[in-house]
Amino acid sequence: MVVSDFTPEEERLIEDEYQALLQDYLNSMHSQRIELIERAYHLAKQAHHGVRRLSGEPYMMHPLSVARIVVREIGLGSTSICAALLHDVVEDTDYTLEDLKELGFSPQVLVAVALLTHEKEVPYLDYVNRLKDNPIAKAVKLADLEHNSDMTRLGPDDPRIPAFQEKYRRAKELLCE
């Protein structure tokens, strides 16, 4: 990941994707708890500010995309959307679970984020196996895998593509057992 300021167009892209997420949520059958989603969005946006994916796009587009998959394709509500927006915050930034707790996120969100936080010393498939019994963490991880499986973020000649594809295939298989 690279850190750099975003252009006004990129900031607008992030905001447009967030508005699309809210519209997806408002179109769902879930109770309207937008204030929770707004809190998670603003925290994730602050935590990932200036960070870019390997493709060059703002990193914040990833948690937004995962959250949209959670609500649009899986049909989950505000707790899962918050977990999706925050799923990389503890793993990739200086924020801690205690910070999220102090900011008022529910125990369900905190448990899911804790499970979704891959500790570097834990083998990847052990980490995936650990989270599969929590329905929120499992759904968010499946959405995360779906979004990460788009290899256009790497470039067509990236030598890591086969390894990533195999890693994600095995993780999906484990989650769907």
Side-chain angles (χ1 to χ4, degrees), residues 70-145:
V70 162
V71 68
R72 193 180 51 215
E73 295 180 24
I74 304 174
L76 300 178
S78 60
T79 301
S80 298
I81 293 168
C82 289
L85 289 169
L86 298 171
H87 81 274
D88 283 334
V89 167
V90 174
E91 182 175 324
D92 293 341
T93 76
D94 292 333
Y95 283 94
T96 65
L97 288 169
E98 188 60 35
D99 294 332
L100 300 184
K101 182 178 179 182
E102 288 174 13
L103 290 167
F105 290 102
S106 71
Q108 295 89 346
V109 170
L110 296 173
V111 167
V113 171
L115 289 168
L116 289 160
T117 300
H118 180 202
E119 297 157 358
K120 293 180 185 4
E121 68 276 0
V122 176
Y124 183 73
L125 291 178
D126 290 348
Y127 146 75
V128 172
N129 192 52
R130 183 185 76 201
L131 65 79
K132 74 178 186 178
D133 291 329
N134 180 287
I136 295 170
K138 178 180 178 178
V140 171
K141 189 62 187 174
L142 284 167
D144 180 48
L145 290 167

Side-chain angles (χ1 to χ4, degrees), residues 22 27-28 41 58 80 174:
L22 286 181
N27 291 337
S28 75
Y41 166 71
S80 298
L174 181 61

Side-chain angles (χ1 to χ4, degrees), residues 143-176:
D144 180 48
L145 290 167
E146 179 179 331
H147 189 250
N148 279 338
S149 292
D150 177 2
M151 293 295 133
T152 59
R153 68 190 169 101
L154 299 175
D157 299 324
D158 193 305
R160 298 172 294 176
I161 289 175
F164 280 135
Q165 288 174 325
E166 178 61 15
K167 175 181 171 179
Y168 299 150
R169 183 195 65 74
R170 292 178 69 202
K172 287 177 192 175
E173 189 176 89
L174 181 61
L175 288 170
C176 293

